[in-house]
């Protein structure tokens, strides 16, 4: 192998580095393989001395400007043979195109850099944004550091995909000045050990994935009150103070192999007594402290050379020369390239800088290029660029990072997580948002909440109306939206905003979440000796700090409040005497549904979505149903929620074909049986009020002399008690000529005909009694075998009333729906919801002669006033899932037990498999030979039910799956004579796709 000068220079550099602090791990780019080393040597050897100076200069590049600007940038880089470009604002496709043009005309491949502390989205649209470092500083434990490492690794992969080689990150500044105008939220916090540990994880994640880093802002920018973009900050600390705090993270990361260090523009008299000399231009700081004393061998980058902290005292060009003279390796954002090159060449002539030192630094830059892969440069592939830069794994990582950072600073009497939802009347007030927020939308998934919005620009009368309305609630969720994170503008907190928050906490009912800079808490913490101490944010019942305003912080903060997730974050800084470093209360999760993405449970969202979309779209295209809602959960995590199609095919029957929404209400049909009657019976079994082995007459005294008196309830609930399948009750109300029989129906409401069946059809008040008598007197089937029957479920409301003294609907809402937060589950939904939220079912051409819309589809239930144990329940998919999640969790949900584990197990097991009966008690279960009533992969422990209108629910408790599934559609629109849904087997095929996705994994 030929001798390579690059290897020689590396050895000489190490030999000549006399240090008092060794960089234990050399920067990775100094450990090249033979091919890379020889490439670097060849490039260096063939480079003229003047061109070696140019390799030390990086200029700014923007991809959001006009073609003329891009042409001028390319000319500047190519004419001067510069070493690199620092990219700023733009878009990924535009930047990639510009980068390819720049690289194509450069004799030596360029280093492409970016200041991407919280991801490429810091500069470019349509890319991944990670949390700020201050947010990450709140995370606790080694597992959190592993997530930060993963963030660095993922960011590196995105950067490399975009043709970038350097990230000017992480910031290792210890932010111990709350009013720091330039670092602040960009720091991991004020604990030097935590800063070093988290920054090290971030750095390693990037460097292990072939991205050069530059830790910053040396020797520490955390205790400044001046923004170096506009003036030169003064650090009036002693050397001992700097050693004990600011320099600590730099030492640790240098020891661990940092590839780059960025020098800040700071005036530090204890390190350099030269008046108004920025640290970037200080030999004492760059060479003596960083290179010699700390032994740093990597690339030394300047902070941007256009910043006022430099240009205020040193002209462009001269400042660049002084930076190299001080020991800088790379000058970032040089404004006047020709002037800088001329000044450096003159300095070499004058002997202030040696050509040998320029050569050594140039070679180091070329070695870094080789390590970064530029020895085998390839243009950026434009195909699928944006998709590749936004992998779904980064959404999952963002969720994990955000979740672990959430910090609860107050939790009076453990109000969080919210429990006993049936006792809460909740309002939410979004402060500084004029529309429903992501926080409010997520909170509404858990229970009924009324939302209000107010901003500092709202009229006083608007706020007064809201304030008056809040007296009707006993809990107020306050989400404060601060749209600025900088102290110079008080974090976006207007005086009126603070006043509104103060009034809200003064109610004693507020749970406050502040979406903004953590230091904003100081602006909401008023002295307790003021005239109105009750307006202090400390008077809130609970305080949640998510550190910034993003869709992730909004959604996950709401999930924290309702107990879907816990909280473990702690303050990374001291805000004031009340909120100090390390504050943070643990909050436990209590098993409510978490809303996330399939990847969190090991499922590919792409695969699952493709499968479900395909099956649903086939059903809609073939006219099996006009629209539907599909909701899926695994391990208690909702991973799929999607609305498809429309309410109707057209407006011919009077209902507009509105797009289906997730919160639309559907007629559950026979899913009513396992959502009303069955849970009621389970609860009564637990209370010792109902005996499954008892006889029908035990709970229906009127049946004592009937042929059903001795029927056992276990047989009844498994549909093998010889009951008829159904009785067409409405047919007995008509005369042969089609007119109504006496005491059945009439067209107008009256005292004798109060039961509304349609707008123009009212039933005789005592006719429901006739229905019960018809059931009582109906003949039994000759053979005891499985025959699915509605009849017993019609009777359960009477049993509940007799055993509890409560009406069926009241009992269900009090016992189950309100505590579950399932507020849309109801009978007779027209009482509470507009028709636009209720999906129509069938046009009844035989009995009711109208479109059935917001009224129960089943004729028998309609004749019972719309309220029965076999049909009549309405609701949305999300609320229905809460019932089945409670089942899957063996009778518990949200920290509350509804049904005993033993009773759940009893009702959901096969009762008579030896007779070939597949039923549980009330529940359907998989057939012993596949028939399509259940998904193919369903285990023997699974259970659910289907509904005539097209609904379907399924629970798979097997630990290998842990699935819950809801499918709601109106396949009977406009007529029930449509077997396509069953023929296509859409409902069970969709849940089978979930089973397959679970087996397949990521």
């Amino acid at each position: 192998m030929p001798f390579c000068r690059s290897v020689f220079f590396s050895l000489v550099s190490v030999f000549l580095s006399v240090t008092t602090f060794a960089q234990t791990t050399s920067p990775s780019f100094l450990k090249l393989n033979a091919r890379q080393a020889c490439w670097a040597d060849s490039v260096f050897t063939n480079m003229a001395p003047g061109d070696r100076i140019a390799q030390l200069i990086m200029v700014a590049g923007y991809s959001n400007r006009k073609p003329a600007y891009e042409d001028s940038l390319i000319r500047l880089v190519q004419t001067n043979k510069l070493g690199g470009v620092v990219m700023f604002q733009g878009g990924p496709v535009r930047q990639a195109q510009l980068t390819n043009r720049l690289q194509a005309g450069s004799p030596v491949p360029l280093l492409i850099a970016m200041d991407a502390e919280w991801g490429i989205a810091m500069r470019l649209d349509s890319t991944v944004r990670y949390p700020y470092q201050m947010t990450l500083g709140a995370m606790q434990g080694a597992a959190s550091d592993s997530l930060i490492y993963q963030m660095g690794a993922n960011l590196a992969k995105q950067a490399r995909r975009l043709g970038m080689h350097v990230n000017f990150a992480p910031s290792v500044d210890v932010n111990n000045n709350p009013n720091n105008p330039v670092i602040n939220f960009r720091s991991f916090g004020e604990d030097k050990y935590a800063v070093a540990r988290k920054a090290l994880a971030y750095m390693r994640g990037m460097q292990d994935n072939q991205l050069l880093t530059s830790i910053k802002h040396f020797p520490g920018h955390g205790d400044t009150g001046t923004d170096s973009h506009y003036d030169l900050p003064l650090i009036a600390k002693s050397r001992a103070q700097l050693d004990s705090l600011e320099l600590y993270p730099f030492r640790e990361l240098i020891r661990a192999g940092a590839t780059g260090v960025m020098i800040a523009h700071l005036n530090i008299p204890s390190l350099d007594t030269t008046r108004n000399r920025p640290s970037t231009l200080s030999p004492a700081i760059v060479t003596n402290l960083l290179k010699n004393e700390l032994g740093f061998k990597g690339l030394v980058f300047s902070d941007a050379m256009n910043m006022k902290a430099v240009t205020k005292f040193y002209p462009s060009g001269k400042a660049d020369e002084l930076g190299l003279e001080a020991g800088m390796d790379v000058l970032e954002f040089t404004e006047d390239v020709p002037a800088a090159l001329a000044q450096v060449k003159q300095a070499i002539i004058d002997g202030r800088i040696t050509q040998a030192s320029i050569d050594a630094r140039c070679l180091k830059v070329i070695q870094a290029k080789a390590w970064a892969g530029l020895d085998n440069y390839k243009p950026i592939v434009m195909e699928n660029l944006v998709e590749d830069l936004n992998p779904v794994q980064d959404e999952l990582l963002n969720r994990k990072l955000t979740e672990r950072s959430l910090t609860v600073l107050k939790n009076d009497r453990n109000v969080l997580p919210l429990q006993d939802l049936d006792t809460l009347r909740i309002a939410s007030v979004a402060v500084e948002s004029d529309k429903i927020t992501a926080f409010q939308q997520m909170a509404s998934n858990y229970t009924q909440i009324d939302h209000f919005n107010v901003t500092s620009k709202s009229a006083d009368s608007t706020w007064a109306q809201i304030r008056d309305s809040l007296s009707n609630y006993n809990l107020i969720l306050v989400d404060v939206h601060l749209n600025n994170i900088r102290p110079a503008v008080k974090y976006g907190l207007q005086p009126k905003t603070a006043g509104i928050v103060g009034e809200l906490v003064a109610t004693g009912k507020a749970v406050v979440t502040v979406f903004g800079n953590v230091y904003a808490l100081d602006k909401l913490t008023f002295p307790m000796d003021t005239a109105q101490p009750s307006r202090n944010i400390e008077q809130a019942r609970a305080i949640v700090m998510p550190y910034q305003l993003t869709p992730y912080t909004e959604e996950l903060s709401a999930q924290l409040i309702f107990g879907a997730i816990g909280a473990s974050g702690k303050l990374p800084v001291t805000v004031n005497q009340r909120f100090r470093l390390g504050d943070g209360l643990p909050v436990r999760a209590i098993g409510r549904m978490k809303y996330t993405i399939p990847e969190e449970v090991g499922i590919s969202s792409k695969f699952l979505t493709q499968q479900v979309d395909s099956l649903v779209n086939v059903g809609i295209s073939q006219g099996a149903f006009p629209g539907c809602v599909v909701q899926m959960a695994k391990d208690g995590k909702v991973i799929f929620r999607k609305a498809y199609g429309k309410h109707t095919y057209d407006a011919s029957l009077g209902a507009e074909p509105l797009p289906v929404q997730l919160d639309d209400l559907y007629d559950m049909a026979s899913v009513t049986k396992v959502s009303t009657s069955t849970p009621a019976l389970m609860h009564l079994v637990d209370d010792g009020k109902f005996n499954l082995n008892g006889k029908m007459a035990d709970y229906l005294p009127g049946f004592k002399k009937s042929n059903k008196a001795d029927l056992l309830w276990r047989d009844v609930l498994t549909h093998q008690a010889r009951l008829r399948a159904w009785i067409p009750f409405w047919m007995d109300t008509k005369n042969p000529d089609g007119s109504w029989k006496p005491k059945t129906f009439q067209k107008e409401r009256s005292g004798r005909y109060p039961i509304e069946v349609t707008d123009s059809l009212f039933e005789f008040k005592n006719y429901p009694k006739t229905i019960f008598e018809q059931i009582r007197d109906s003949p039994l089937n000759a053979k005891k075998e499985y025959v699915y029957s509605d009849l017993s479920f019609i009777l359960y409301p009477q049993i509940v009333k007799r055993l509890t003294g409560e009406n069926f609907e009241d009992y269900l809402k009090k016992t189950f729906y309100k505590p579950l937060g399932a507020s849309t589950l109801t009978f007779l939904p027209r009482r509470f919801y507009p028709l636009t939220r209720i999906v129509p079912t069938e046009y009844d051409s035989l009995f009711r002669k109208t479109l059935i819309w917001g009224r129960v589809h089943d004729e028998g239930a309609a004749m019972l006033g719309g309220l029965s144990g076999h049909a009549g329940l309405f609701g949305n998919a999300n609320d229905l899932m809460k019932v089945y999640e409670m089942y899957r969790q063996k009778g518990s949900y949200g920290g509350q037990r509804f049904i005993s584990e033993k009773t759940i197990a009893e009702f959901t097991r096969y009762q008579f498999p030896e007779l070939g009966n597949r039923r549980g008690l009330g529940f359907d279960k998989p057939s012993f030979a596949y028939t399509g009533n259940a998904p193919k992969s369903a285990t023997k422990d699974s259970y659910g039910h289907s509904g005539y209108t097209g609904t379907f629910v399924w629970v798979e408790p097997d630990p290998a799956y842990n699935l819950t599934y809801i499918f709601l559609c109106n396949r009977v629109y406009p007529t029930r004579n449509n077997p396509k849904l069953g023929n296509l087997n859409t409902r069970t095929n969709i849940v089978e796709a979930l089973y397959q996705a679970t087996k397949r994994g990521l």
Side-chain angles (χ1 to χ4, degrees), residues 118 129 132 135 178 180-181 183-186 482-493 515-520 547-549:
W118 53 86
R129 173 183 291 270
Y132 298 138
T135 306
N180 191 320
I183 303 303
N184 203 284
F185 64 92
R186 297 164 64 192
L482 303 182
N483 58 10
N484 202 302
I485 54 176
R486 301 187 182 279
V489 291
K490 298 181 180 179
Y491 313 107
L493 188 63
F515 295 103
N517 193 311
V518 65
Y519 290 119
Y547 300 95
Q548 57 187 104
L549 176 59

Side-chain angles (χ1 to χ4, degrees), residues 967-987:
F967 179 91
L968 302 180
C969 84
N970 55 333
R971 70 99 193 164
V972 294
Y973 184 89
T975 173
R976 69 185 65 189
N977 298 319
N978 181 2
K980 293 179 181 178
L981 179 66
N983 293 342
L984 292 170
N985 214 15
T986 302
R987 296 176 291 186

